[in-house]
Amino acid sequence: MGRTLILDTLADSEVPMNIPMILQKQPGLAQSSVYRNLAVLVQVGVVSKIAVGAEHAFYELSEDVTGEHHHHMICRSCGSVRTLVLPASVERKLDQSLASAADDASFVLQGHRLDLIGLCEGCARR
């Protein structure tokens, strides 16, 4: 039941969520249970973990589940994570560039994740 609640919570969210956000939406879940269940869900590939610094992470349904490819913008100041969907033409050029770089390194590319690191609008104004 805990895993189902976590998956439903992530599915209903428009943004990646950290554990406090999940617990706020599902106060009946124990924090230790959320940690354990997320670890299992990440391990089996249903949930993706977005590391923000050494101690913080956000979670979202994996692309294999949603079928939607996207990237992330991570604020270096407040740690917020936003989704970034690139236009198809830009994504194709990025795929080609990464495939070429991987090929040059004799690496078999199977996919990519791209995180943009910077300042969100609120932090940039401060």
Side-chain angles (χ1 to χ4, degrees), residues 43-99:
Q43 185 176 14
V44 298
V46 176
V47 170
S48 294
K49 180 179 180 178
I50 306 156
V52 180
E55 298 177 18
H56 302 287
F58 284 75
Y59 299 88
E60 64 185 359
L61 295 179
S62 72
E63 290 181 8
D64 292 339
V65 172
T66 65
E68 298 175 358
H69 180 71
H70 63 273
H71 306 283
H72 301 103
M73 296 178 289
I74 302 171
C75 180
R76 178 171 274 155
S77 180
C78 70
S80 65
V81 177
R82 291 183 41 210
T83 298
L84 172 65
V85 177
L86 296 174
S89 61
V90 174
E91 193 67 49
R92 278 192 300 277
K93 289 176 186 173
L94 179 60
D95 283 339
Q96 291 168 349
S97 297
L98 294 173

Side-chain angles (χ1 to χ4, degrees), residues 13-14 29 37 40 51 58-59 62 80 85-86 88 99 104 106 124-125:
S13 180
E14 294 181 8
L29 292 174
N37 283 315
V40 170
F58 284 75
Y59 299 88
S62 72
S80 65
V85 177
L86 296 174
D104 290 347
S106 299
R125 273 193 254 139

